[in-house]
Amino acid sequence: MSGFWQRFSKIIQLTFITLVLWAIFDVVAALMFYSMVLLFLIIRHIRHRAALDRWLQTSELDASTIPHGSGTWGDLFASLARFVRSHSQSQQRLSLALQRMQNATSAMPEGIVILDEVNRIEWCNPMAAQHLGIVLAVDTGQQITYLVRELQFVDYLSTRDYSNPLVLKQSRHNKLILSLQLVPYGVKQKLLISRDITRFENIETMRRDFIANISHELRTPLTVIVGFLEILSDEKKPKAEMYKQALALMSEQAMRMQRLIEDLLILSRLESAQHLVSDKCVDVVQMLNAIYHEAKSLSGGRHQIKLNLTSDAQLSGSQDELRSAFSNLVSNAIRYTPDGGEVTINWAIQNGQGLFSVQDSGIGIDPKHIPRLTERFYRVDSSRSRETGGTGLGLAIVKHVLNRHQAQLQIESKAGKGSRFEVWFPGKRLINKSSSAL
Ligand code: ADP
């Protein structure tokens, strides 16, 4: 039976009992009985009502503390308990979903800012806070242009054409390059997505510089060769002497281009085979003797060259790569040391490490250039480098080879006083260690 019929039948029963009392006794007895029942019901109602008020004031909508009741109130409290339970379950589900969404957006490598219809910050994830310097507790409701003040961004925001992202270098954070993209959604709301593209932009700049440098390096010798070819083809009968001179200069320039291409190929091989060194036993003493003789022929007697070997330790590594690195350092010492100067090549063991060094009494290097020397095409004196056949890639090759052998390069130099290039090999790369003089 439904609640309504239950209650209706109780009223019928009460009326029936009252009528029976009237019939047996008199009307006063019947009315007394009726009033007593009504009074009881009113008191019960007031009690339940007070209990409900107390629960509403004190509890935090906790179903387990809902008061117990009888009759209509019992039904009401039971329905209330069911409602509170289902409400708190859906609240739990909602907060779980919110937590999951917050965890997911916090883990995202992109920054996300929610903007309202007048570009005020409503919410952002931690990455956006880091990218754009937003402190959510303080900046919620703040205009985004108050934090990202760059004119380009203000223009981007107002154009309403968000099909392409905006690349932004912030003045506040000069090393960070961001890609910012606005995505309209909902009712005039916007998502601002930020990505850190500093690495890609730097690689792109390096790529552009590299191409510009190679083009420049190749253009100069090519201009010389093309110039001579034009002169020779214009001459009806070029003199033999002129021919000889032109051919000598053209082959010098062709060799320059060849050296450049060879160095570029070495570099590209080193870069593409990042961590793979073919570990062979390299006889450093034998290699340095060969390099010493090459150095003497490169110098042509213009320098005093010494070979100082205090160890016969061998190295585990790539013969070709180590030879290329050592030769580059030795040839640099000769090329940047004026006639009559001294160049000393050393191999020793120090503090359990292998130490190869080249010391010269040459032109030296101003300390401000030292951190950049191993960059591709970085030269202190471009004309001297080119005059002596330099490609600007020697020390970049050295750096790569040493990285692949876990070795460290240390440069000590003073302009006008000579230089010392030291290469330190870790003990684990040494074979047959011995520190006795040979
Ligand atoms: P390059 O082919 O120009 O010699 P490197 O990469 O070998 O290129 O060297 C980079 C620059 O470092 C050179 O242009 C030169 O200015 C400087 N440098 C290298 N070695 C020496 C040295 N022993 N003495 C003085 N300067 C040097």
Side-chain angles (χ1 to χ4, degrees), residues 266-337:
I266 294 176
L267 254 186
S268 121
R269 263 201 303 275
L270 286 171
E271 277 173 350
S272 57
Q274 265 297 293
H275 298 291
L276 301 167
V277 173
S278 55
D279 282 336
K280 298 258 165 65
C281 180
V282 179
D283 189 338
V284 181
V285 170
Q286 197 185 34
M287 182 188 280
L288 291 185
N289 271 308
I291 290 175
Y292 168 69
H293 289 295
E294 278 169 20
K296 281 184 122 177
S297 93
L298 178 68
S299 157
R302 292 173 294 126
H303 307 89
Q304 211 188 327
I305 301 173
K306 291 185 196 152
L307 179 62
N308 193 11
L309 303 168
T310 57
S311 166
D312 60 0
Q314 293 160 324
L315 276 174
S316 145
S318 157
Q319 166 97 16
D320 291 348
E321 290 182 17
L322 289 173
R323 191 187 167 108
S324 163
F326 293 169
S327 298
N328 264 307
L329 291 174
V330 173
S331 85
N332 275 357
I334 293 167
R335 286 168 41 232
Y336 296 107
T337 299

Side-chain angles (χ1 to χ4, degrees), residues 16-251:
F16 178 73
I17 295 169
T18 310
L19 288 174
V20 170
L21 284 175
W22 193 352
I24 299 172
F25 302 101
D26 54 9
V27 69
V28 178
L31 279 175
M32 283 270 287
F33 169 75
Y34 204 81
S35 324
M36 290 298 283
V37 172
L38 277 182
L39 187 67
F40 167 75
L41 287 176
I42 289 169
I43 292 172
R44 199 174 70 167
H45 172 75
I46 293 171
R47 219 164 42 85
H48 282 130
R49 171 70 210 268
L52 178 65
D53 279 348
R54 270 199 307 280
W55 179 78
L56 284 174
Q57 277 164 23
T58 54
S59 79
E60 290 168 349
L61 285 185
D62 182 358
S64 65
T65 59
I66 287 182
H68 294 284
S70 52
T72 318
W73 282 96
D75 296 346
L76 185 75
F77 287 153
S79 309
L80 193 60
R82 269 199 304 280
F83 169 75
V84 170
R85 242 180 255 121
S86 86
H87 176 76
S88 72
Q89 272 169 5
S90 61
Q91 236 189 358
Q92 257 175 15
R93 273 199 299 275
L94 259 175
S95 63
L96 257 173
L98 194 70
Q99 187 65 44
R100 269 203 299 270
M101 200 197 91
Q102 273 181 352
N103 289 347
T105 51
S106 303
M108 276 174 77
E110 280 95 10
I112 296 174
V113 188
I114 296 180
L115 301 176
D116 68 8
E117 67 267 39
V118 283
N119 302 320
R120 284 181 307 216
I121 299 166
E122 284 188 348
W123 177 85
C124 77
N125 71 347
M127 194 48 87
Q130 200 179 315
H131 285 165
L132 306 169
I134 300 173
V135 181
L136 211 48
V138 183
D139 297 323
T140 307
Q142 189 69 261
Q143 285 284 331
I144 184 72
T145 46
Y146 185 78
L147 290 151
V148 187
R149 291 165 177 246
E150 282 69 21
L151 262 179
Q152 286 163 280
F153 179 70
V154 178
D155 287 348
Y156 179 66
L157 202 61
S158 58
T159 53
R160 300 187 184 277
D161 173 15
Y162 310 133
S163 43
N164 290 315
L166 169 77
V167 175
L168 190 76
K169 216 174 188 174
Q170 282 183 291
S171 43
R172 168 181 77 79
H173 201 327
N174 60 4
K175 281 202 179 123
L176 187 70
I177 305 173
L178 291 176
S179 154
L180 297 178
Q181 175 122 42
L182 278 160
V183 183
Y185 83 102
V187 189
K188 293 187 179 169
Q189 276 178 305
K190 290 181 207 92
L191 273 185
L192 174 64
I193 301 171
S194 61
R195 291 185 189 92
D196 181 354
I197 52 162
T198 317
R199 226 182 113 241
F200 300 112
E201 283 292 307
N202 288 347
I203 291 173
E204 186 54 24
T205 312
M206 265 169 66
R207 193 187 64 83
R208 273 198 298 266
D209 289 353
F210 188 55
I211 292 174
N213 278 323
I214 294 178
S215 315
H216 178 75
E217 293 294 329
L218 288 174
R219 199 179 52 200
T220 322
L222 271 175
T223 314
V224 176
I225 294 173
V226 170
F228 276 118
L229 286 174
E230 275 171 7
I231 294 172
L232 291 178
S233 56
D234 284 352
E235 289 282 327
K236 286 205 179 89
K237 271 192 182 168
K239 287 185 196 127
E241 190 57 26
M242 185 186 176
Y243 230 130
K244 236 168 121 183
Q245 234 180 359
L247 278 180
L249 284 166
M250 282 197 293
S251 78

Side-chain angles (χ1 to χ4, degrees), residues 328-329 332-333 335-336 360 363-365 373 375 378-381 385 389-396 419 421:
N328 264 307
L329 291 174
N332 275 357
R335 286 168 41 232
Y336 296 107
D360 67 55
I363 58 170
I365 306 159
L373 286 186
E375 284 176 25
Y378 188 84
R379 290 154 163 138
V380 177
D381 178 348
S385 161
T391 60
L393 296 172
L395 290 181
S419 314
F421 285 73

